[in-house]
Amino acid sequence: MADYPGFIAIETGEDDGLPLAIAWSLPDGRVKQTLIQPDDSWIKEDTNAMGAYSMEELESLGVSPLEVIRELENDHFSATLYTSDNGDDEAALARLFDTYGLDPFVELAPASVLYPSLTPGEWHRQRRETFSELGLEPMRPEHELEVMLSMHQRLTDEE
């Protein structure tokens, strides 16, 4: 059985790193995902930054940021997690932890560093092609994870 690196993706709203949904992978390739209930401190009176979600969806279907942190801690304490390097993941993760005055216990790194035979540009090109091949949408956390897991399997089988 393959042992996968930890991948993570966070969907954000328009309001600098407002975390809406998160997904991460486990060593066996399974994916955990959830919507995130916005903390009261994140919401302004005129906030319309919920992306494709309504406030009701996030409140009723999401879990609290603290629950997300606890679950992530159970799965990946002191680990490096790999992202598609879109820039928003780090800000969104920091916002989750900052809400509780916590320091992040995971580090983020671009997934492209796992594949020294590829330049970052080549990795991103293959990522775009994989999204197209699988008919998935970029920026949806569970789709990002599916693409990174698929690419990892393909790229490590080629070595």
Side-chain angles (χ1 to χ4, degrees), residues 47-143:
T47 293
N48 187 19
M50 301 300 151
Y53 306 102
S54 71
M55 186 59 112
E56 292 75 28
E57 281 179 294
L58 294 174
E59 289 290 338
S60 65
L61 302 174
V63 300
S64 76
L66 192 56
E67 287 179 67
V68 170
I69 291 169
R70 285 183 181 141
E71 192 70 20
L72 187 59
E73 182 178 34
N74 287 337
D75 294 338
H76 291 296
F77 185 74
S78 270
T80 298
L81 299 177
Y82 298 92
T83 72
S84 64
D85 200 26
N86 68 19
D88 293 335
D89 293 325
E90 196 135 2
L93 194 66
R95 195 164 188 175
L96 279 174
F97 282 86
D98 287 349
T99 300
Y100 302 99
L102 301 171
D103 290 326
F105 49 74
V106 294
E107 284 189 46
L108 300 185
S112 59
V113 302
L114 293 168
Y115 316 103
S117 62
L118 294 179
T119 66
E122 176 64 18
W123 184 87
H124 281 284
R125 185 188 64 72
Q126 287 192 26
R127 175 180 165 267
R128 283 190 304 276
E129 288 174 0
T130 305
F131 267 107
S132 182
E133 289 166 14
L134 298 177
L136 300 174
E137 292 178 47
M139 307 316 291
R140 293 207 33 207
E142 67 276 16
H143 290 187

Side-chain angles (χ1 to χ4, degrees), residues 136-153:
L136 300 174
E137 292 178 47
M139 307 316 291
R140 293 207 33 207
E142 67 276 16
H143 290 187
E144 289 282 355
L145 270 281
E146 200 173 323
V147 164
M148 287 190 282
L149 289 164
S150 173
M151 285 180 64
H152 182 75
Q153 190 160 23

